Amino acid sequence: MTDFDDDAAGSIASAALTVLREQGPLSLDEWATHLEEYGTATELADVLEYLSEPMLGYLPSGKYVALDTVLEGLVFTHRLSALEIASDILDASPDLEPILAFGDGEDGAIRVALAEEAAVERGAAHFRSRRVVMLPAGTLGECAEGDLVGLAVEDGRLAFRLVEIEDEPDLVPSLGELFEEDGVEALDSVCWQLLLEDPSLFTVPIAPLSELFETAGYEHERELLARRGFDFDAYDLQIRTALVASTYALTHDEAVSAVAFVDLADRGYTDAVIADFDIADWAHRHVSAAPDSFVSLADPGAAVAVFDLGFRNQDPVTDAILEALAAELAERGPRSVRAAAHWLAGKAVDRLGRVLEAEAHYENALLVESGWGPALFELAQFASDRGDATRALSLLGRIDGGSEENLYAVLQDFVPVDHPELGRNDKCWCGSGRKYKVCHLGKADESVESDGRWLYRKACLFAFASEYVDIVTGLDDLENENLSEDELIVATIFDGSALDVALFEGGIFADFLARRGELLPESEVATAAQWLGTRRSVYEVIETSDTGVVLLDRGSKEAVTVAHSVDGKPGDVISARVLTAPTGALAVGVTVMASESQAARVLEVLASADLDAEELVRASRGGADHSTDDR
């Protein structure tokens, strides 16, 4: 896609919507030709295709339309249920689907929400739709089950009305022209197209869309519309399989296996939530019935897709199901899939807190296939956690592209330092009195571990696990909100305070210690336990030298010397976390404050008894970002 700076992109978006309101509906090419002052049609088509705007509608004809010009003044009806009356919440699909873009809910008005959120807020449940319309409390107090109500678009907002049917249009001819025999379309797009072909539709209250569609011989599901008898499940499976194949660069058979495995696990999860049952026995029955069903998961990419799609979010029941299915597949599946099965089982038991069992599964995966990349990578991380940089690098070296991993770059600072002047039987350089070969030969300088830098980086790498990615990237997006696209490319998640806040205030570091404590050197376990209660603060740089930097804590008024460099000069004010280690202290997640008012705001957030991670990152954002060498 062609790059435009923020100002240009904003101007194009504004001009594009104006053109669409005046000239629409328009195809992508037609639309672009009206904006020639901003660039070539080809360049603009790329931009317009990715334009994000709630008032932008896409039609079955392939054209775009401005919804506010099409839907203003129209009314859509809905027949009430007892649940809706009791909760003042309306199921959106299909009756109200075409006008949901207008439910922004500002100033206490009618708003659109996800059904799960609405259920929690109003204490109701069992809505049919994924999205619902939340009315102000008491709106439906005088209504009865079966009453007809309407939502109209007035001045760009949704307005509630009690209505009676004034017209009964026949949609059969119009729908017949839009649909192929086995076709399926987005329900809202169909309605917008019908409106353009017959502008008189919905100008007065008519029967709800659900009743009109049923009369015309159509049915809806998952915000889609098709002729009665259409196999929505098969269509959904086809779309999901194609999307998985495209996203993860899989063959069709690999994508089919991945989707089938995830769907099986989903069914198991539903069964486990509804009724307690023996998960191991359930897995045995399903895998042993067709052990070759998942043979295409042998490809590492397919196995990674399975984990990402079905098990990205940490949940004990989901992980137990994954462990049972994968263990069964490792034992009874074809040999070609056993490496993948052991890797999946290892991922499950790791998250269940059994890291040594996970390690055994990864080792078993390599016994089946010595070069199986995902297992090599997991073992490399475990070796790093143990403090064995040499083994970790050796394992990464067996992976195609292993030298490009973040772990590889981190390990370069912690590889053993050779002393070629010493023979194997000479006394060790460290003064222990032992022979070099039994003391430090092939080992890193102990100070590398005791100064805390490696421990912190181990935790940072742990934070990139899939179950934490939403926490980390969410905070990183907040921190980088004002950056241009080019600056975002340059910025990495290691910069600034976001990752550090995700670790500590986001709870990831506590999980790291709980799940990796069995692997970490004993001294690092003690240091990590001490770090758990350490909060960030605001510091003033007092003095810098080759031996360290003196910082004054603006909160406690205490001075501390950090052993490793902090970018900044005396007088600069920074937000950071100062962690103590056996050989000194280090500052991590450093962000330079842009002003005294910003520093005061950060201190205010930090003083809160219930510290909010997102609020802390927002408060810290805005200054130039100076990060230490110790991130």
Side-chain angles (χ1 to χ4, degrees):
M1 188 179 78
T2 303
D3 290 332
F4 292 90
D5 62 34
D6 291 345
D7 290 340
S11 297
I12 293 171
S14 177
L17 286 171
T18 299
V19 165
L20 199 59
R21 290 182 178 114
E22 296 173 351
Q23 305 292 334
L26 297 170
S27 69
L28 204 58
D29 290 339
E30 290 169 342
W31 198 7
T33 59
H34 287 280
L35 300 164
E36 291 179 346
E37 63 182 285
Y38 294 99
T40 67
T42 301
E43 291 173 337
L44 291 167
D46 287 341
V47 174
L48 296 173
E49 189 173 7
Y50 291 94
L51 182 63
S52 178
E53 163 59 48
M55 290 301 129
L56 188 61
Y58 184 72
L59 304 174
S61 64
K63 295 191 175 186
Y64 293 83
V65 65
L67 298 180
D68 47 3
T69 60
V70 174
L71 296 169
E72 179 66 33
L74 303 186
V75 59
F76 289 75
T77 63
H78 177 74
R79 207 169 294 282
L80 294 174
S81 69
L83 172 65
E84 291 172 320
I85 295 170
S87 62
D88 289 302
I89 298 175
L90 305 179
D91 267 308
S93 185
D95 298 337
L96 308 173
E97 194 73 38
I99 54 174
L100 295 185
F102 297 89
D104 57 17
E106 294 180 3
D107 303 323
I110 299 168
R111 65 186 176 93
V112 175
L114 294 175
E116 294 86 350
E117 298 171 355
V120 171
E121 184 173 328
R122 297 277 176 90
H126 308 300
F127 295 105
R128 298 186 305 273
S129 305
R130 183 178 66 87
R131 291 190 293 175
V132 296
V133 177
M134 299 186 67
L135 304 173
T139 300
L140 303 178
E142 302 299 320
C143 296
E145 186 173 1
D147 280 356
L148 200 66
V149 297
L151 284 184
V153 179
E154 297 179 355
D155 297 325
R157 299 285 185 86
L158 294 180
F160 176 80
R161 293 180 184 176
L162 293 173
V163 297
E164 293 183 358
I165 295 176
E166 298 183 23
D167 189 17
E168 296 187 14
D170 180 10
L171 299 183
V172 173
S174 298
L175 288 172
E177 293 180 4
L178 288 177
F179 282 86
E180 298 178 359
E181 188 64 31
D182 295 322
V184 61
E185 297 286 352
L187 188 151
D188 52 6
S189 295
V190 168
C191 293
W192 301 332
Q193 187 74 51
L194 292 174
L195 277 168
L196 291 169
E197 295 175 5
D198 182 1
S200 67
L201 278 176
F202 306 106
T203 54
V204 297
I206 60 177
L209 286 171
S210 54
E211 297 174 14
L212 292 173
F213 290 147
E214 183 177 5
T215 300
Y218 289 77
E219 57 186 338
H220 62 91
E221 188 172 324
R222 294 188 289 273
E223 301 162 9
L224 298 173
L225 186 68
R227 297 180 192 273
R228 187 175 294 126
F230 183 81
D231 191 338
F232 284 98
D233 289 336
Y235 176 76
D236 179 61
L237 180 61
Q238 177 186 348
I239 295 299
R240 286 193 296 128
T241 301
L243 181 60
V244 169
S246 173
T247 302
Y248 294 93
L250 305 179
T251 66
H252 175 73
D253 288 345
E254 289 166 353
V256 167
S257 288
V259 171
F261 190 96
V262 170
D263 285 351
L264 176 58
D266 285 344
R267 292 197 299 273
Y269 180 87
T270 301
D271 292 344
V273 170
I274 293 174
D276 187 23
F277 70 98
D278 188 328
I279 292 177
D281 178 68
W282 171 86
H284 172 70
R285 285 187 285 107
H286 282 83
V287 173
S288 61
D292 295 331
S293 298
F294 305 111
V295 66
S296 294
L297 296 183
D299 178 78
V304 169
V306 162
F307 187 78
D308 192 33
L309 293 167
F311 308 95
R312 176 170 170 170
N313 296 319
Q314 194 169 4
D315 178 274
V317 175
T318 302
D319 290 332
I321 288 171
L322 175 59
E323 177 193 2
L325 284 173
E328 193 69 27
L329 195 59
E331 183 176 350
R332 291 178 172 79
R335 178 177 174 79
S336 62
V337 80
R338 290 180 185 175
H342 276 298
W343 178 77
L344 288 168
K347 295 290 285 185
V349 297
D350 178 13
R351 300 206 303 190
L352 289 168
R354 291 142 48 197
V355 67
L356 297 183
E357 288 184 43
E359 188 173 40
H361 273 297
Y362 300 145
E363 295 285 7
N364 286 333
L366 298 186
L367 289 177
V368 176
E369 187 175 338
S370 61
W372 211 76
L376 286 167
F377 181 76
E378 299 294 342
L379 290 171
Q381 290 208 118
F382 286 1
S384 173
D385 289 338
R386 282 196 165 96
D388 191 345
T390 300
R391 172 168 164 75
L393 286 168
S394 175
L395 290 163
L396 288 176
R398 293 163 58 184
I399 303 174
D400 185 24
S403 62
E404 299 173 9
E405 296 286 349
N406 286 329
L407 176 59
Y408 185 91
V410 167
L411 290 169
Q412 301 309 304
D413 290 336
F414 307 107
V415 292
V417 177
D418 289 332
H419 287 263
E421 75 279 7
L422 294 176
R424 292 171 54 84
N425 293 315
D426 290 341
K427 286 186 178 181
C428 189
W429 57 267
C430 71
S432 67
R434 293 179 295 175
K435 292 181 179 180
Y436 180 43
K437 66 182 180 182
V438 297
C439 190
H440 268 94
L441 180 60
K443 300 176 184 177
D445 184 340
E446 290 172 353
S447 64
V448 168
E449 293 184 2
S450 60
D451 68 8
R453 286 178 297 158
W454 197 355
L455 172 61
Y456 187 77
R457 291 195 181 189
K458 292 173 186 179
C460 289
L461 291 168
F462 177 82
F464 289 120
S466 59
E467 57 265 37
Y468 304 114
V469 69
D470 289 340
I471 299 174
V472 176
T473 58
L475 292 175
D476 189 60
D477 287 344
L478 284 176
E479 184 171 59
N480 292 323
E481 186 178 56
N482 294 325
L483 295 184
S484 69
E485 184 172 346
D486 288 342
E487 288 170 326
L488 279 170
I489 294 172
V490 174
T492 72
I493 205 151
F494 284 109
D495 287 321
S497 61
L499 179 57
D500 180 72
V501 172
L503 280 172
F504 289 88
E505 282 73 27
I508 300 175
F509 191 84
D511 285 354
F512 165 71
L513 180 56
R515 286 174 50 185
R516 292 293 178 266
E518 289 185 88
L519 302 180
L520 296 173
E522 191 173 324
S523 61
E524 287 192 343
V525 172
T527 300
Q530 180 183 339
W531 287 357
L532 280 175
T534 304
R535 279 200 173 192
R536 293 178 66 85
S537 191
V538 172
Y539 298 89
E540 183 177 345
V541 179
I542 302 299
E543 181 183 341
T544 63
S545 69
D546 294 338
T547 58
V549 178
V550 180
L551 303 174
L552 178 65
D553 190 331
R554 285 280 185 90
S556 68
K557 307 303 181 184
E558 296 178 356
V560 61
T561 300
V562 294
H564 300 280
S565 65
V566 173
D567 287 346
K569 60 184 182 300
D572 282 348
V573 180
I574 65 172
S575 171
R577 193 183 314 272
V578 174
L579 301 172
T580 59
T583 58
L586 67 155
V588 294
V590 177
T591 302
V592 175
M593 300 287 92
S595 64
E596 286 292 339
S597 61
Q598 184 190 14
R601 174 58 184 152
V602 173
L603 276 175
E604 180 185 352
V605 174
L606 288 167
S608 172
D610 187 18
L611 184 56
D612 182 83
E614 291 189 3
E615 187 62 27
L616 179 54
V617 172
R618 287 192 185 96
S620 300
R621 188 185 64 216
D625 200 343
H626 296 269
S627 302
T628 73
D629 294 333
D630 310 311
R631 285 190 309 271

